[in-house]
């Protein structure tokens, strides 16, 4: 049967290559008894393909059962799939046939197969390999002839690696893989689907169908649709009910599209973010201050050395040196170094023409005691906020409780 006729029969909308390829594989594998694993994101329409496979197989007159494995509690899923004997557990008042027994000679569709418990996976593997199963609470081996089609939106290879899914079961199910493309990879199909849903809801609610202008159509195509076809259908229904105007523009449409999709937002970059740091303790703050001081001193010494190499009169040298000092320490957060005593001994440098260049070399006498630096920073913070410890603690980046402890420990008045 032609692909277009299959689409009409099963209500499939779209003409993308990936969609047509998936339909073609389903039709080709249908006459066989091979297991099929359908993968794709949630909302892509995976549930249609097991029906195609069943209808084009020799089992089409036998039962077809769809089971959502993720919707069945772990404690009862074995009973649902394989049945149970009377008295097998509390509440088992009579014998019950499981889905595999009811679907004998037919097809069973296991949706969300990745949610199966490991113990149930062992039972399923035995059914796939031998066609045998045992009811819960029984010791009698039963036979079934069932075609299994499974679907999942979970990354099964990753689940295998994490120990959540049996590797042998994965290979047994994945005899023939069918991959469903997400809606964002079917951009030309998005407007077709919207028109189909709009027409359906117009008939359902007895109102004129929606129409999109060019801007709205482009916005519809450019949106990522994380919920795929299901999300598109829901939004189409919302607009059909809420909007009184049947002609929808981009501005109207935008109010219905969630724009907090993190995958489509560009990463913001600002230069100052490179130097942003978070400090978990006051000790880290002190370390950072010391490192910055050391870097500033290295920069200053390098500048002085470069000026000495190039030469020049002492007035220019002292002027440039003073400018550099102001530049290095203009940041108020580094004002702790401004109160340190500075010695500036004169250095005489002889040049070939016997001229003498007077230069200054800066030596900062500083204490590297962390305890003294802590005391100094705490005092400065308290002075800055007029003794209000709450705000001083916030300024220091520590908790108020830690500040109380430090004040008591260092006996700061």
């Amino acid at each position: 049967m032609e692909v277009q006729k299959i689409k009409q029969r099963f209500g499939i909308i779209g003409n993308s290559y990936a969609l047509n390829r998936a339909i073609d594989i389903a039709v080709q594998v249908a006459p066989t008894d091979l297991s099929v694993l359908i993968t794709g994101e949630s909302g892509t329409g995976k549930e249609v393909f097991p029906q195609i496979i069943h209808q084009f197989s020799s089992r089409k007159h036998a039962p077809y059962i769809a089971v959502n494995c993720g919707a069945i509690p772990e404690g009862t899923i074995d009973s649902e799939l394989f049945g149970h004997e009377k008295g097998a557990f509390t509440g088992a008042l009579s014998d019950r046939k499981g889905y595999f027994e009811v679907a004998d000679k037919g097809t069973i569709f296991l949706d969300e197969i990745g949610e199966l418990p490991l113990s149930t996976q062992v039972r399923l593997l035995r059914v796939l390999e031998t066609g045998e199963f045992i009811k819960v609470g029984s010791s009698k081996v039963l036979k079934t002839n069932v075609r299994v089609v499974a679907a999942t939106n979970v990354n099964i290879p990753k689940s295998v690696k994490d120990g959540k899914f049996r590797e042998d079961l994965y290979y047994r199910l994945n005899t023939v893989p069918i991959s469903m493309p997400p809606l964002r990879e079917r951009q030309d199909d998005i407007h077709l689907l919207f028109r189909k849903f709009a027409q359906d809801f117009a008939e359902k609610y007895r109102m004129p169908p929606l129409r999109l202008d060019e801007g709205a159509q482009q916005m519809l195509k450019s949106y990522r649709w994380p919920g795929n076809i299901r999300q598109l259908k829901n939004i189409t229904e919302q607009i059909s009910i809420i909007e009184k105007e049947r002609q929808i523009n981009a501005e109207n449409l935008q109010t219905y599209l969630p724009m907090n999709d993190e995958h489509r937002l560009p990463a913001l970059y600002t230069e100052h973010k490179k130097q942003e740091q978070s400090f978990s303790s006051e000790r880290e703050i002190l370390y950072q201050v010391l490192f910055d001081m050391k870097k500033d001193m290295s920069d200053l010494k390098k500048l002085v050395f470069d000026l000495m190499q190039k030469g020049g009169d002492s007035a220019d040298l002292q002027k440039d040196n003073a400018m550099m000092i102001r530049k290095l320490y203009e940041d108020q957060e580094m004002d702790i170094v401004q109160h340190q005593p500075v010695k500036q001994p004169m250095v005489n440098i002889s040049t070939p023409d016997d001229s003498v260049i007077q230069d200054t070399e800066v030596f900062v006498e500083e204490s590297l005691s962390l305890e003294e630096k802590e005391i100094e920073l705490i005092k400065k913070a308290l002075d800055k906020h007029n003794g209000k410890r709450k705000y001083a603690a916030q300024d220091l980046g520590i908790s108020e409780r830690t500040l109380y402890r430090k004040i008591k420990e260092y006996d700061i008045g």
Side-chain angles (χ1 to χ4, degrees), residues 361-375:
E361 185 173 351
V362 179
F363 296 91
V364 178
E365 294 181 358
E366 58 180 343
S367 171
L368 296 180
S369 170
L370 291 177
E371 182 176 321
E372 292 179 10
K373 294 297 181 184
E374 277 189 315
I375 294 173

Side-chain angles (χ1 to χ4, degrees), residues 142 182-183 205 217 225 263 307-308 326 364 400:
L142 301 177
L183 190 56
Y205 298 114
Q217 291 180 33
W225 297 107
H263 299 289
L307 292 172
M308 290 166 56
R326 286 196 299 270
V364 178
E400 194 172 351

Side-chain angles (χ1 to χ4, degrees), residues 39-41 46 112-115 151-159:
T39 58
E41 297 178 8
K46 297 186 293 294
E112 297 187 29
I113 190 72
E115 305 298 328
T152 181
N153 59 1
V154 175
N155 186 339
I156 296 294
K158 184 178 184 302
S159 296

Side-chain angles (χ1 to χ4, degrees), residues 122-155:
V122 177
R123 288 173 171 262
L124 177 59
L125 180 63
R126 183 179 181 184
V127 174
L128 292 172
E129 291 182 341
T130 66
E132 298 178 346
F133 68 95
I134 300 176
K135 288 184 176 183
V136 177
S138 173
S139 58
K140 183 181 179 181
V141 177
L142 301 177
K143 298 282 286 186
T144 186
N145 179 12
V146 172
R147 168 79 171 276
V148 175
V149 180
T152 181
N153 59 1
V154 175
N155 186 339

Side-chain angles (χ1 to χ4, degrees), residues 75-91:
T76 62
I77 192 165
D78 284 349
S79 171
E80 293 288 328
L81 294 177
F82 308 108
H84 64 257
E85 293 286 332
K86 180 180 179 180
F89 51 85
T90 303

Side-chain angles (χ1 to χ4, degrees), residues 40-302:
E41 297 178 8
S42 179
T44 53
K46 297 186 293 294
E47 64 279 356
V48 177
F49 285 80
Q51 299 176 32
I52 296 175
I53 294 171
H54 178 71
Q55 290 299 323
F56 285 92
S57 71
S58 58
R59 301 171 180 266
K60 63 181 179 180
H61 299 297
Y64 169 81
I65 296 179
V67 182
N68 189 330
C69 300
I72 304 175
E74 183 175 345
T76 62
I77 192 165
D78 284 349
S79 171
E80 293 288 328
L81 294 177
F82 308 108
H84 64 257
E85 293 286 332
K86 180 180 179 180
F89 51 85
T90 303
L93 303 179
S94 61
D95 293 351
R96 182 187 184 280
K97 290 184 178 181
Y99 296 132
F100 277 96
E101 188 174 358
V102 174
D104 187 31
K105 297 182 175 60
T107 304
I108 186 167
F109 170 44
L110 299 178
D111 197 8
E112 297 187 29
I113 190 72
E115 305 298 328
L116 275 182
L118 286 171
S119 59
T120 308
Q121 293 178 30
V122 177
R123 288 173 171 262
L124 177 59
L125 180 63
R126 183 179 181 184
V127 174
L128 292 172
E129 291 182 341
T130 66
E132 298 178 346
F133 68 95
I134 300 176
K135 288 184 176 183
V136 177
S138 173
S139 58
K140 183 181 179 181
V141 177
L142 301 177
K143 298 282 286 186
T144 186
N145 179 12
V146 172
R147 168 79 171 276
V148 175
V149 180
T152 181
N153 59 1
V154 175
N155 186 339
I156 296 294
K158 184 178 184 302
S159 296
V160 170
K161 185 178 179 180
D162 295 341
K164 298 179 181 179
F165 201 88
R166 292 182 61 94
E167 186 175 12
D168 46 4
L169 177 59
Y170 168 60
Y171 290 125
R172 187 66 180 80
L173 288 169
N174 200 37
T175 306
V176 178
I178 295 179
S179 178
M180 283 296 298
L183 190 56
R184 60 181 170 274
E185 296 179 6
R186 300 169 51 191
Q187 289 191 356
D188 293 337
D189 296 341
I190 295 176
H191 189 217
L192 292 175
L193 287 163
F194 180 89
R195 288 170 55 187
K196 172 64 168 61
F197 295 146
Q199 185 63 43
D200 290 345
F201 292 127
E203 295 176 1
K204 179 179 179 180
Y205 298 114
R206 300 175 182 239
M207 58 179 62
L210 296 172
R211 296 185 306 275
L212 301 178
D213 65 13
E214 290 295 329
Q217 291 180 33
Q218 189 58 39
M219 178 176 289
L220 208 68
K221 291 181 179 180
S222 62
Y223 188 66
R224 282 186 58 86
W225 297 107
N228 294 292
I229 298 174
R230 186 181 295 118
Q231 183 186 13
L232 175 60
K233 184 176 181 180
N234 290 342
I235 287 178
T236 307
E237 186 171 16
Q238 289 178 36
I239 301 174
S240 297
I241 296 173
I242 296 174
E243 291 294 328
K244 295 180 180 180
E245 184 65 40
R246 297 288 92 184
Q247 181 74 19
I248 306 299
N249 56 32
E251 185 178 355
N252 297 136
L253 180 61
Q254 188 174 11
T255 61
Y256 294 92
L257 298 180
M259 302 307 289
N260 59 346
D261 183 8
E262 60 182 7
H263 299 289
R264 70 192 301 269
L265 295 176
L268 297 178
Y269 172 81
T270 52
E271 185 68 25
H272 72 277
K273 285 187 179 292
K274 287 183 178 180
Q275 300 181 4
E276 287 186 358
Q277 296 186 27
S278 59
F279 302 99
S280 59
S281 68
E282 64 272 18
R283 189 174 297 274
E284 292 184 15
I285 299 176
L286 294 174
Y287 283 146
Q288 184 63 40
V289 170
L290 293 176
F291 290 148
D292 290 344
M293 290 169 57
K294 182 178 179 181
K295 180 177 181 300
D296 291 341
M297 289 302 303
S298 299
D299 291 342
L300 183 60
K301 290 177 181 179
K302 182 178 182 302

